[in-house]
Amino acid sequence: MKELKITDFVNQLASDQPTPGGGAAAGVTASLGIGAILMAMIFSKTKKMTEEEQEFLLGKIDQYQQSKEVFIGIIDRDATEFEPLSKAYRMPKDSEEEQAKRHQAIQEGLEIASQPPIDLVQEVDKILVDFDRVIPLIKKMIISDVGVGLQMLRSALNASSLNLYINGGQLSDEGKQKEYYELADQKVKELSEKLDSYYEEVKKVLAP
C-alpha cells in the first residue's frame, strides 16, 4: 500500500476493495503529519542556536525520522495484520467444534489487527514528550507547517481510537477489552488535549 501513488491510494480507498481501510489512512495521515513537522524543524536549524538547542533539535529530528518510519509501516501493516481476522470470519461454523475454533481465531485476529492502531497511539505519545521545547526553535516563516502536522497527528490519533473501539467491542477477554478502551478513551483524550495546546501555541506565534 505504501508504494502506491497518492492518487491511486485515494482511489482504491474510495472503492469496494477491502484494503486500504481506515487504519491505513490513519498511517498515511500520521506520516504526513510528522513529515510536515520534520520539514519545519530541518529548515529551522541555524548557527544562531545555542549548542544545547542544536543538540536538542537534532536529537528530536532523529527521533521523529524513526516515528515517520513507524507510521509508514502502519500503512501496510493495517492490511497484513487484518488478514488473520478476515480469514477467521470466513471459517466454517456449522458444528460446535467449528464455532469454537472460529471464535478462538477471531479473538486472536482481533488482537493482531489492533496492534497497528495501538502502535500509532504510543508513537504519538513519544513524539509529544518535550514538544514544548520544539516550538520555540521553529522559524516563524515555517511554523504553520508544525500546526498542520499537529492537526494531522490529532486526526490519525482519533481515527486509531475508533479501530480500538470496534475491535475491543468484540473481545471476550474483559481485561484486554478494558485495556483497549482505556487507551482509546483516556490516552487519546490526553494526547488530543496536548496536541490542541501545542496548536494554540503555534497560532499565538502567527497571530497578528
Side-chain angles (χ1 to χ4, degrees):
M1 290 299 161
K2 65 187 179 184
E3 302 301 331
L4 290 174
K5 293 180 180 179
I6 292 177
T7 50
D8 291 337
F9 181 92
V10 173
N11 288 332
Q12 194 164 324
L13 180 65
S15 73
D16 60 358
Q17 297 298 311
T19 56
V28 170
T29 305
S31 301
L32 292 171
I34 197 63
I37 292 170
L38 273 166
M39 177 179 63
M41 294 169 70
I42 292 169
F43 272 109
S44 295
K45 290 187 296 182
T46 171
K47 294 179 180 179
K48 293 181 180 179
M49 289 181 179
T50 66
E51 185 176 338
E52 181 181 355
E53 288 173 338
Q54 288 183 5
E55 185 177 339
F56 173 77
L57 190 64
L58 290 174
K60 280 297 182 183
I61 288 172
D62 287 343
Q63 178 195 338
Y64 293 171
Q65 292 284 9
Q66 294 175 37
S67 295
K68 174 172 60 69
E69 295 306 315
V70 170
F71 294 144
I72 290 173
I74 286 173
I75 299 170
D76 279 338
R77 287 177 57 205
D78 178 65
T80 58
E81 295 183 33
F82 178 76
E83 186 59 27
L85 181 58
S86 180
K87 288 181 179 178
Y89 284 137
R90 297 195 298 268
M91 290 175 66
K93 50 182 177 179
D94 297 325
S95 67
E96 289 187 5
E97 182 180 357
E98 287 177 341
Q99 290 173 15
K101 287 183 179 179
R102 180 176 181 273
H103 175 76
Q104 181 61 33
I106 287 174
Q107 295 303 303
E108 293 173 357
L110 286 167
E111 291 193 34
I112 295 171
S114 297
Q115 200 55 53
I118 288 173
D119 290 347
L120 191 148
V121 173
Q122 292 177 340
E123 199 63 35
V124 172
D125 193 13
K126 295 176 187 176
I127 287 168
L128 297 185
V129 174
D130 290 334
F131 196 83
D132 56 317
R133 294 178 59 192
V134 173
I135 293 176
L137 302 178
I138 305 300
K139 293 179 179 178
K140 182 177 180 179
M141 64 181 293
I142 201 168
I143 200 169
S144 61
D145 288 288
V146 173
V148 170
L150 290 170
Q151 287 298 320
M152 298 186 85
L153 288 177
R154 192 185 195 286
S155 177
L157 184 69
N158 282 278
S160 296
S161 73
L162 298 178
N163 286 329
L164 292 175
Y165 282 132
I166 194 168
N167 290 343
Q170 301 175 72
L171 286 172
S172 299
D173 185 334
E174 292 184 0
K176 183 67 68 173
Q177 184 181 72
K178 181 180 179 182
E179 177 187 330
Y180 286 10
Y181 284 168
E182 286 181 348
L183 192 62
D185 281 327
Q186 299 174 19
K187 177 55 73 172
V188 168
K189 180 181 178 182
E190 171 196 326
L191 296 177
S192 293
E193 288 175 350
K194 284 186 178 181
L195 287 162
D196 286 343
S197 68
Y198 294 139
Y199 179 72
E200 289 302 317
E201 287 187 35
V202 170
K203 287 175 64 177
K204 286 178 183 177
V205 174
L206 294 171

